[in-house]
């Protein structure tokens, strides 16, 4: 499991294990927080197409879906 500090995810780079639409490399562009300032979701942007997707930050901990860095 990927060890992640959710407060340090901004501008981090990720590689999708199973790319869709030739989108493999992503960067975290925004952290979405709740009223207690806890990170709940992240906005990731595909480097190739610039398409943005919002997902719970915990999904990045799944090594069968995401790898840290661009590989």
């Amino acid at each position: 499991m990927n060890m992640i500090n959710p407060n340090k995810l901004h501008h981090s780079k990720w590689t999708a294990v199973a790319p869709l639409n030739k989108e493999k490399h992503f960067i975290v562009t925004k952290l979405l927080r709740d009223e207690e300032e806890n990170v709940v979701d992240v906005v990731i942007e595909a480097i190739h197409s610039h398409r943005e997707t919002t997902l719970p930050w915990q999904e990045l901990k799944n090594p069968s879906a995401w790898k840290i860095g661009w590989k």
Side-chain angles (χ1 to χ4, degrees):
M1 182 174 288
N2 295 328
M3 297 298 291
I4 299 173
N5 179 345
N7 292 310
K8 295 185 178 183
L9 284 173
H10 195 244
H11 295 298
S12 62
K13 298 171 183 169
W14 295 88
T15 300
V17 173
L20 296 173
N21 301 324
K22 298 183 181 179
E23 296 175 339
K24 182 176 181 177
H25 297 114
F26 295 84
I27 189 164
V28 175
T29 58
K30 194 181 298 181
L31 302 177
L32 303 176
R33 299 176 183 269
D34 62 11
E35 53 277 343
E36 290 145 11
E37 291 300 313
N38 296 316
V39 177
V40 289
D41 293 323
V42 293
V43 177
I44 59 170
E45 180 181 328
I47 298 304
H48 180 68
S49 66
H50 300 288
R51 185 179 59 89
E52 291 187 333
T53 304
T54 302
L55 55 112
W57 74 266
Q58 291 91 343
E59 281 192 33
L60 296 174
K61 293 168 59 173
N62 182 354
S64 62
W66 296 100
K67 291 182 183 177
I68 297 172
W70 290 341
K71 303 192 169 64

